[in-house]
Amino acid sequence: LSPRTDKIVGRKKEIKDIKKAIKETDTRRVLYFVAEGGIGKTRLLQEVDNLRKRWCVHIIDLYHQKNHSPSGLRRAIVDNLGENRFPEYTKQRIAFEKKRGIGRRGKDLEELRAALDDIFVQEYNRIAARWRIILRFDTLELLQYEHDSVQDTCLVNDVDTVVKNWLLRIIPKLQNTITIFAGRPRPQTEQEFQATYTNAGCLFTRYELPAFSEKESKQYLDLMRQKFPQQLDQILLSNEPPDTFGVSEGKPIRLALI
């Protein structure tokens, strides 16, 4: 990741739309941000913390192994919203884990596994009846079995399809919620998510994040200069300073490398 600026650069339209979604009530909003690596998707997700402090679940990054299962996704949400607000779900999850731990298999275990989602949704919606909740999921490209060169180089595997199915099945059931996804372009996943959520009555909006303009690139470097004054002064005040915008093409990660 490129160094994070204390103040976000650009993204005025996207932030305006997120603010608008926050002010709404009783809608199920899905915002899907798409861009190549190094453009600033994660930084935009982080900025949501400055727009809404409470009931904004921590970013759930599908890069991490702990988020590679429905139980992992539920756990991330429950832990952040407060386990005490999910008493029945917590009770049934513990019962399920005990049965699985002693090697139990069969119909009763599968029924309990299926019931966990229903209990989770019921208790989640009890919270959402009082407060608007924001969910954020990063690195969504791992949901599609389609590698890119960066994934291959870094040995990053796709997430099991059960995670994608859980997101497609459960997110539409979560009331009064804004769900924000961010990932690299994956047309198949984008189309499937849009069709499923739209058919379920969610308000779906896709955004393609552009690189910085020349003005925004300068603003980013100015902010970096405040954080790393000595290093950037040596570069920008040299006899032959680089054409930062031309070299970086406005991509934050390339500006950071300069």
Side-chain angles (χ1 to χ4, degrees), residues 1-11 38-40 43 212-228 232 236 244 248 250-258:
L1 294 177
S2 55
R4 174 178 173 174
T5 55
D6 295 329
K7 178 182 178 182
I8 193 168
V9 175
R11 312 308 182 209
I39 293 295
R43 180 64 184 87
F212 288 159
S213 64
E214 187 168 1
K215 180 180 179 180
E216 290 169 341
S217 297
K218 183 180 182 302
Q219 184 183 358
Y220 177 86
L221 287 176
D222 287 342
L223 291 170
M224 284 293 99
R225 198 174 197 171
Q226 296 172 20
K227 298 188 73 169
F228 309 103
L232 272 173
L236 299 178
T244 53
S248 69
K251 296 182 178 180
I253 195 167
R254 292 186 183 178
L255 288 166
L257 290 173
I258 292 175

Side-chain angles (χ1 to χ4, degrees), residues 28 168 172-173 195-202:
R28 291 167 294 153
L168 290 171
K173 298 179 181 180
T196 299
Y197 292 142
T198 301
N199 290 338
C202 300

Side-chain angles (χ1 to χ4, degrees), residues 131-146:
W131 296 287
R132 190 150 175 78
I133 300 173
I134 303 175
L135 303 177
R136 295 171 290 174
F137 297 89
D138 202 2
T139 323
L140 207 69
E141 65 269 15
L142 295 186
L143 294 178
Q144 182 170 325
Y145 296 118
E146 176 185 326

